[in-house]
Amino acid sequence: MSDALAPDGHFEVPATESHGAYAWNQTVDEVNVYVRCEVGTVAKKVRCVIRPSHVRLVAASVAREGEEVTLLDSDTVESLKPDESFWTLDSAAGSVHLTLQKAQEGKSWPGVFRGHGGDLDGTARESEQKRLLLERFQLEHPGFDFSGAEINGAVPDASTFMGGFNRPQ
């Protein structure tokens, strides 16, 4: 994939009483979520349960021994593949990276979790749909460079346009 078609940043979602702060972005086949946790958190003290439409992420508190902190416990806006999803921890940076595999490849997610208020506005959503459609074209036709391509008018859904995603074998 051309680097010009890769996500160029993250969408930030501030912490609330029901969840911790996180940032997210997406590609054609996955959603990446970067959740803040305490610096010094160790992997063996992190529990992450990923289901087809729900994610729960809990970590032991570094500052308050014996306490657990629920970082996420929410339904996703779209379905995912739990067996192909995973998480990694950057203890020094205080961040857990969730890689959630989309159940429907090419589908543009407007946000990650229901009710978190981090959904994309109309302009950002259309921009993401365009980027994902061009990323799909790049994956389907690796000999071509779609990074400078323009789409005029309404942007079609990359997951269903022209019969859906068709990766070369």
Side-chain angles (χ1 to χ4, degrees), residues 70-94:
T70 300
L71 303 170
L72 282 173
D73 190 7
S74 301
D75 292 333
T76 57
V77 298
E78 299 288 345
S79 296
L80 52 95
K81 299 176 184 174
D83 292 341
E84 297 177 27
S85 300
F86 59 93
W87 62 274
T88 58
L89 170 68
D90 183 343
S91 183

Side-chain angles (χ1 to χ4, degrees), residues 15-92:
T16 68
E17 289 181 15
S18 65
H19 64 80
Y22 63 91
W24 71 279
N25 64 24
Q26 64 184 315
T27 65
V28 166
D29 54 0
E30 65 189 27
V31 174
N32 295 290
V33 183
Y34 305 89
V35 184
R36 293 190 191 114
C37 66
E38 292 178 64
V39 171
T41 298
V42 293
K44 68 181 180 181
K45 301 278 183 152
V46 174
R47 287 192 335 260
C48 184
V49 177
I50 301 172
R51 296 209 165 95
S53 61
H54 192 89
V55 175
R56 178 169 167 78
L57 178 63
V58 178
S61 174
V62 174
R64 297 173 308 280
E65 192 170 327
E67 282 189 40
E68 286 189 330
V69 179
T70 300
L71 303 170
L72 282 173
D73 190 7
S74 301
D75 292 333
T76 57
V77 298
E78 299 288 345
S79 296
L80 52 95
K81 299 176 184 174
D83 292 341
E84 297 177 27
S85 300
F86 59 93
W87 62 274
T88 58
L89 170 68
D90 183 343
S91 183

